[in-house]
Amino acid sequence: METIIATNHLSKRYKNLWAVNDVSFEVNKGELLAVLGKNGAGKSTTLLMLLGLVKPTLGNILILNKQPQERAVKEKIGVMLQEVSVIDALSVKEVLLMFSSYYENPLRLEEVLEITGIPIEMLKKRAYKLSGGQKRRLNFALAILSNPQIVFLDEPTVGMDSTVRKKFWQAIQFLNDEGKTVIFTTHYLQEADDVAKRIMLFNQGKVIADGSPLQLKSHLSDGAISFTSDQVDINLLQTFSHVISAKITNQRIVLTTTSTDALLGELFEKKVVMRDIHLHRARLEDAFESLTVEGGSVNESLVDANESRSITDI
Amino acid sequence: MKAWLMQTKVEVLRIFRNPYFVFWSLFMPIVFYFVFTNIFNTGMGDSWNSRFLMSITCFSVMGTSILTLGIRLVEEKAHGWSNFMRTTPLSSSVYFSAKMVGQTMIHICSVIIIFVVGAVINGVSLSVWQWLTSALWILIGALPFLAIGTIIGAMNKVETAAGISNFFYMVLAFMGGLFMPIEVLPSIFKTIAKAIPSYHYGAGVWEITEGGTPSLLNIAVLTGYFLLFVVLSIYIRRKQEVVV
């Protein structure tokens, strides 16, 4: 596989704080990578360094085997930054044409409109009069009009409503299918889980996990089964071989387990009377919590989160 | 080249579509001119009319240089534009030179409009040569003020930049004798005026309307200030880059 981004012991210090601390990773062509982390985890600083906007204190970066500041690199990347309000006094069309003029082989205007879903009527509007969601769409258009090899998106869906968001991710999927590498930062875990093929989790300036969503989730293999029952001895359940812990929460019996499948089998086998059975699966959010918060109780968050699926759905 | 042309076009469009520019740099100077020469009848005659026309053109171009350029640069930075531009292949020299050319085109328009108003309303009549050299002086003499604009542009907040640049603009215009001849003011004003660029900016073009040429002193002072402001502007930008 072709490596298109490589960082080597990348670090950035602001005054006394290491915002990014000794981060080394590689990105291959065609990846769809989510950079996940809380505010201040170092993900935006890393992105800005990749873009050549912030100078690393230590370490180095190669993008397409070149320095990030080089013009040849800028020709091949597309960028969507946070909080860029669009240039004043120009119409959407003028903004798009202006940016197209910067690149050697830009997409045609129609192609840009098609991918981003910008309607023709929007072209005549002054860019500063657009709604928040429309502005984000214009920013997205600016990120892809160069027909880039790598697309960098910093918190791209902030300010998008759910319909726009869905279309946005469809467009990203399309670009990725065309072989473009896409890197986005987000703090929406669900988004990273749904969209990304690879997730890098930042915490306190370091990469603390890096892998597919599935791998990250399996970091935390515990699931849980909950049900209601009037005639069950919780102490008995505790003795089941697949039960890690048993307790009663909100009148429901909650059993945490390493394998929900095996536990279900055991429950049926032992003819435990159960009603309204729910399966709770490990979610990325829980993996995230357990990796970033020390001493947090993972199992409780499993049940408290309303991510349970009724057994009838499975 | 394609990018440069487009960028220049865009800069011109942006300035003309900016209501503040139209108001402060075109409308206000014309109103000032009309009021000062017609309503307050100063009885100073034709030479005053043509001299004041030049003052007010200087005032307009100086305003565009300091305010429009400076505040625009700050806005672009505050809105994340400058950073975003740096992720595109557009080089900063193309960006900057397009801005300067765009700015100069705007100055040319302001000069033409105000000159036409002067000729039509007050019948200011000068030789073709005088009109042309006056315009040229005003365009080239704007350089130190454009440099001030880039210093203002290094500020981080639009409000601060707007406040400070307006203050300097008005002080420079008043102290430089662009509103009223410094000869009618106490002598202390004369001393101050001779030390600031706006006076020499005006003085050069007043000479032209009276049939003379700008003095070497005018040229020397404006050049000196231009170099000073450019060095200052570059120094401030370098210092800001270190922080990043």
Side-chain angles (χ1 to χ4, degrees), chain B residues 10-56:
Chain B
V10 161
E11 291 297 343
V12 173
L13 271 179
R14 285 177 65 200
I15 299 179
F16 266 118
R17 287 181 188 169
N18 174 359
Y20 295 100
F21 160 74
V22 175
F23 185 77
W24 284 107
S25 297
L26 287 178
F27 184 68
M28 282 306 283
I30 291 170
V31 168
F32 274 163
Y33 181 63
F34 186 74
V35 169
F36 274 68
T37 55
N38 289 292
I39 295 177
F40 307 138
N41 199 337
T42 48
M44 281 192 258
D46 283 354
S47 83
W48 166 246
N49 277 354
S50 52
R51 182 189 157 127
F52 192 62
L53 180 68
M54 293 307 158
S55 301
I56 224 68

Side-chain angles (χ1 to χ4, degrees), chain A residues 10-288:
Chain A
L10 192 61
S11 304
K12 177 68 192 178
R13 186 176 60 194
Y14 288 114
K15 292 192 178 133
N16 295 321
L17 178 81
W18 286 94
V20 175
N21 194 351
D22 196 21
V23 169
S24 301
F25 62 89
E26 288 185 354
V27 180
N28 292 318
K29 189 174 188 306
E31 284 202 65
L32 178 42
L33 168 67
V35 178
L36 197 60
K38 297 180 173 174
N39 287 338
K43 56 189 195 309
S44 280
T45 307
T46 303
L47 191 76
L48 292 176
M49 287 193 283
L50 292 178
L51 296 174
L53 294 176
V54 167
K55 239 189 212 150
T57 312
L58 293 171
N60 56 57
I61 300 169
L62 282 179
I63 295 190
L64 301 161
N65 284 317
K66 296 187 180 71
Q67 298 297 316
Q69 298 85 359
E70 285 181 50
R71 194 194 147 99
V73 172
K74 295 181 194 275
E75 190 71 50
K76 299 267 186 283
I77 63 170
V79 180
M80 184 169 165
L81 293 175
Q82 287 182 63
E83 287 161 28
V84 173
S85 68
V86 187
I87 205 159
D88 58 8
L90 294 182
S91 72
V92 171
K93 188 176 179 182
E94 286 165 336
V95 173
L96 291 172
L97 291 178
M98 177 176 93
F99 274 88
S100 293
S101 78
Y102 300 164
Y103 299 94
E104 275 159 28
N105 298 307
L107 294 177
R108 283 179 298 114
L109 190 60
E110 305 86 79
E111 293 174 295
V112 174
L113 299 187
E114 197 188 316
I115 296 170
T116 55
I118 291 178
I120 303 271
E121 314 85 76
M122 209 174 109
L123 286 180
K124 287 197 191 115
K125 266 193 160 181
R126 290 283 172 91
Y128 66 89
K129 287 186 179 155
L130 300 177
S131 71
Q134 287 174 322
K135 276 184 186 162
R136 300 301 287 166
R137 231 186 293 177
L138 176 55
N139 280 325
F140 177 45
L142 297 182
I144 62 149
L145 57 70
S146 63
N147 196 14
Q149 282 190 27
I150 315 174
V151 183
F152 294 94
L153 310 154
D154 198 7
E155 305 272 358
T157 54
V158 171
M160 289 183 188
D161 65 35
S162 56
T163 332
V164 175
R165 185 173 298 196
K166 199 173 153 203
K167 282 193 182 146
F168 171 78
W169 287 121
Q170 279 168 357
I172 290 296
Q173 205 69 58
F174 169 76
L175 293 171
N176 186 241
D177 291 344
E178 282 202 321
K180 298 190 193 314
T181 309
V182 180
I183 298 176
F184 68 96
T185 67
T186 183
H187 54 251
Y188 295 125
L189 298 145
Q190 197 56 47
E191 214 162 69
D193 194 3
D194 292 346
V195 181
K197 292 178 188 162
R198 173 180 168 194
I199 295 174
M200 260 169 52
L201 182 57
F202 271 75
N203 192 38
Q204 295 177 350
K206 286 189 176 291
V207 175
I208 54 168
D210 186 351
S212 71
L214 208 63
Q215 283 169 327
L216 255 71
K217 281 188 278 193
S218 70
H219 202 88
L220 174 114
S221 56
D222 291 4
I225 293 173
S226 73
F227 54 86
T228 52
S229 178
D230 332 311
Q231 35 179 314
V232 147
D233 181 0
I234 197 139
N235 294 322
L236 178 69
L237 291 173
Q238 198 87 61
T239 64
F240 283 22
S241 55
H242 294 287
V243 169
I244 298 172
S245 74
K247 60 179 179 172
I248 300 176
T249 311
N250 301 333
Q251 279 114 52
R252 294 178 66 82
I253 292 156
V254 181
L255 307 175
T256 52
T257 173
T258 49
S259 163
T260 46
D261 292 350
L263 177 57
L264 260 188
E266 192 176 5
L267 288 167
F268 285 128
E269 197 181 295
K270 299 200 174 150
K271 299 204 166 51
V272 177
V273 184
M274 303 177 284
R275 286 197 316 275
D276 189 22
I277 305 170
H278 286 193
L279 293 190
H280 306 269
R281 305 201 311 169
R283 295 176 314 134
L284 193 58
E285 189 157 347
D286 308 311
F288 180 71

Side-chain angles (χ1 to χ4, degrees), chain B residues 98-117:
Chain B
K99 237 186 180 33
M100 287 302 152
V101 171
Q103 197 78 30
T104 303
M105 308 267 263
I106 293 297
H107 292 172
I108 294 173
C109 290
S110 305
V111 168
I112 292 173
I113 291 170
I114 299 173
F115 278 9
V116 167
V117 167

